[in-house]
Amino acid sequence: MASQSNQPGRRNLLKLAGVAALGGPLAAAESVLGWQAPTGPARGLPKLKITDVRVIVTCPGRNYVLVKILTNEPGLYGVGDATLNGRELAVAAALEKHIAPLLIGRDPEQIEDIYQYLYRGSYWRSGPVQMTAVAGVDLALWDIKGKRAGMPVYQLLGGRTRIGALAYTHASGGDFAEVEDAVRRGLERGFKCVRAQVALPGLEGTYGTSTRRKSEETAGRVDQQDSLPQTELFEPGPYLRTVPRLFDHLRSKLGEEVELLHDTHEKLGPIDAARLAHELEPYHLFFLEDLLRPEHKESFRVIRQHSTTPLAMGELFNSLWDCVPLITEQLIDYIRCDLGHIGGITAGRKVAALAEAFQVKTAWHGPADIGPPTHAANVHVDISIPNFGVQEMVFFPEVTREVIPGGPTFKDGYMDVDDTPGLGTDVNEEAAKKYPYKRAYLPTARREDGSVQDW
Ligand code: KDG
Ligand code: MG
């Protein structure tokens, strides 16, 4: 992996040493070029340096990309998650070839500066590959800071604001009765909030509407994939006719107490989205998720004009700035970015603070195709901010936990993290080697006439 130093060249250093001897503002030039902390090391501890950045690509059930950042303090390292479902190797290459060489010799304590440097310093900014790579680094740096401080990350973010993070699970099925059974199973497991999805009669279905039960939970898993993407079908007409009837069924069978959610997965156009949100009003959803494609933020105005159903949006966003218009115009009620795809905890806390000012709550993306360090980061942020809403969660299989141990716990409807210093997750590099990467794609979708449809 990357090993060359990032300190300024010898000739520059000699020049700067002469200038610095004069004192004044120019004396700072050396520390700027060398990226040394102007304030000195924390708590009198010796100065930290990044000595190695390891990128671990592994497939314990599905593909994950982990970033392990090592320091000059023996045994002190951090682990982050840089998994981008279906584009894992692009992120791994960005990290190995472009980002790791920039980090060697840097002070891992300077998390904000490194985030700014990687985000703005590349000139080309944002995008899912770059921001997932930045998130992997960011999480590893927060892990290091927590370990060094002897504190869980949520303490570094300001300490607890709640007993745990209210969590939601997924329920799906081929018909309304199957979905109802799946919701009941979620409730028996302790969940207070359940996302409900149903297959569409007469259509093979796609994400969240599949006749292959639970397909949305397994999408992208290598055992579910051919070597090239599957093509799935979607039609808005059957979807719009079916979903309100599903929630009518669920409310009549389950009552008002259970919090129900639904994911449209960016499939609709503006007026169809407004119709769905309007027709779901009697069933009082906790939220209706990702109605529109991420490009069309202005179209949320159309939905707002027609409905009081609470709206959530954001898992395809890549930066704080993607969130700004929806939050500042109060066009959504929940911002549900993926901390692993917007630059990590450093970006997420900015999104949360912006949202707080406009009474928007958080609902960070928490699917199976992001690794345990991102799930841990979600919960550290959830339990330390004032405007947390709800947290999507999954249970990882044993094979994933063998390779990436640790992560949040679940009890009585809430997720939590313990007081392990740092994020509370790790990577077992030896175990990771047993599960080499296997090419896998997310499915794609088309309409019945053959044209491309958002999946
Ligand atoms: O890789 C894609 C999944 O992360 C996404 O489809 C899951 O929409 C999703 C959700 O709400 O969990
Ligand atoms: Mg979603």
Side-chain angles (χ1 to χ4, degrees):
M1 268 311 328
S3 58
Q4 76 268 38
S5 162
N6 267 296
Q7 307 314 311
R10 189 176 142 72
R11 194 194 286 177
N12 276 343
L13 268 181
L14 289 176
K15 244 198 267 170
L16 285 164
V19 175
L22 300 173
L26 286 178
E30 180 179 353
S31 65
V32 168
L33 288 184
W35 249 31
Q36 302 301 311
T39 50
R43 290 197 301 168
L45 297 170
K47 188 138 191 73
L48 267 193
K49 277 190 177 162
I50 295 174
T51 53
D52 198 3
V53 178
R54 289 191 203 148
V55 181
I56 300 144
V57 183
T58 178
C59 187
R62 56 164 74 235
N63 290 311
Y64 293 102
V65 179
L66 288 317
V67 185
K68 182 167 179 176
I69 298 186
L70 290 90
T71 72
N72 59 333
E73 186 177 306
L76 180 61
Y77 63 87
V79 175
D81 168 39
T83 308
L84 182 63
N85 199 356
R87 294 293 183 274
E88 297 86 357
L89 299 187
V91 181
L95 282 161
E96 283 179 351
K97 309 281 183 218
H98 302 293
I99 291 178
L102 303 173
L103 297 175
I104 305 301
R106 303 292 190 212
D107 178 354
E109 302 266 28
Q110 294 182 321
I111 300 177
E112 178 69 36
D113 190 67
I114 290 177
Y115 166 82
Q116 296 290 336
Y117 180 66
L118 295 180
Y119 179 72
R120 289 155 63 195
S122 63
Y123 185 61
W124 313 110
R125 54 196 74 199
S126 196
V129 172
Q130 158 120 326
M131 296 315 289
T132 302
V134 172
V137 171
D138 187 76
L139 262 54
L141 297 181
W142 280 101
D143 195 28
I144 290 172
K145 196 180 272 298
K147 286 173 176 169
R148 208 176 199 214
M151 288 183 193
V153 167
Y154 76 83
Q155 290 289 13
L156 305 179
L157 298 175
R160 258 187 204 276
T161 54
R162 62 198 71 248
I163 56 163
L166 181 70
Y168 73 86
T169 188
H170 298 178
S172 51
D175 58 30
F176 297 166
E178 279 185 12
V179 182
E180 181 193 331
D181 287 349
V183 175
R184 287 188 195 280
R185 284 197 296 278
L187 297 176
E188 279 159 20
R189 211 167 179 173
F191 286 95
K192 302 172 198 305
C193 309
V194 184
R195 192 191 84 171
Q197 312 286 141
V198 71
L200 301 181
L203 277 179
E204 200 186 333
T206 178
Y207 184 92
T209 67
S210 181
T211 47
R212 289 183 298 275
R213 289 176 66 191
K214 296 194 172 170
S215 84
E216 60 269 22
E217 284 158 46
T218 51
R221 231 168 64 179
V222 289
D223 57 349
Q224 301 291 313
Q225 295 284 299
D226 306 316
S227 57
L228 290 172
Q230 298 165 9
T231 304
E232 300 177 338
L233 283 180
F234 178 77
E235 281 296 320
Y239 177 75
L240 289 168
R241 289 191 290 277
T242 305
V243 174
R245 288 176 40 234
L246 167 68
F247 284 93
D248 188 48
H249 174 94
L250 294 177
R251 279 288 176 234
S252 71
K253 299 288 180 186
L254 300 166
E256 286 288 326
E257 287 294 298
V258 50
E259 297 288 5
L260 295 172
L261 302 80
H262 181 75
D263 186 359
T264 300
H265 218 241
E266 304 98 4
K267 290 195 213 328
L268 295 178
I271 202 64
D272 285 346
R275 170 179 153 189
L276 181 66
H278 175 65
E279 292 186 5
L280 286 173
E281 270 174 28
Y283 312 113
H284 300 133
L285 265 58
F286 187 97
F287 67 51
L288 180 57
E289 168 181 338
D290 286 3
L291 278 167
L292 301 171
R293 287 151 59 180
E295 298 88 343
H296 295 294
K297 300 175 187 71
E298 71 293 339
S299 302
F300 275 87
R301 294 189 198 121
V302 178
I303 306 171
R304 279 296 213 214
Q305 280 159 17
H306 293 280
S307 169
T308 57
T309 294
L311 303 177
M313 178 70 189
E315 69 183 50
L316 289 182
F317 290 172
N318 300 131
S319 77
L320 163 68
W321 291 274
D322 282 337
C323 310
V324 168
L326 293 181
I327 292 175
T328 57
E329 279 194 58
Q330 295 182 317
L331 294 177
I332 54 171
D333 304 281
Y334 295 88
I335 183 74
R336 49 175 284 100
C337 309
D338 187 318
L339 294 189
H341 302 334
I342 61 159
I345 291 171
T346 300
R349 64 208 285 248
K350 294 171 200 282
V351 172
L354 177 73
E356 179 193 356
F358 292 90
Q359 299 186 79
V360 172
K361 293 181 176 174
T362 65
W364 310 130
H365 192 215
D369 53 83
I370 54 171
T374 307
H375 286 265
N378 285 342
V379 177
H380 282 284
V381 176
D382 295 339
I383 63 169
S384 60
I385 56 174
N387 54 326
F388 162 74
V390 73
Q391 182 58 59
E392 181 182 31
M393 79 161 287
V394 290
F395 295 98
F396 284 101
E398 203 42 53
V399 63
T400 311
R401 299 170 62 82
E402 177 199 0
V403 176
I404 319 168
T409 54
F410 172 78
K411 195 169 169 243
D412 297 336
Y414 293 89
M415 294 173 81
D416 206 355
V417 283
D418 63 21
D419 281 347
T420 304
L423 283 177
T425 49
D426 206 344
V427 57
N428 180 336
E429 291 180 81
E430 283 313 303
K433 286 182 195 148
K434 291 195 291 182
Y435 307 102
Y437 168 81
K438 293 186 194 154
R439 189 172 71 182
Y441 290 92
L442 285 166
T444 58
R446 288 186 183 268
R447 298 282 298 272
E448 281 182 328
D449 69 359
S451 56
V452 169
Q453 157 70 40
D454 294 273
W455 177 62

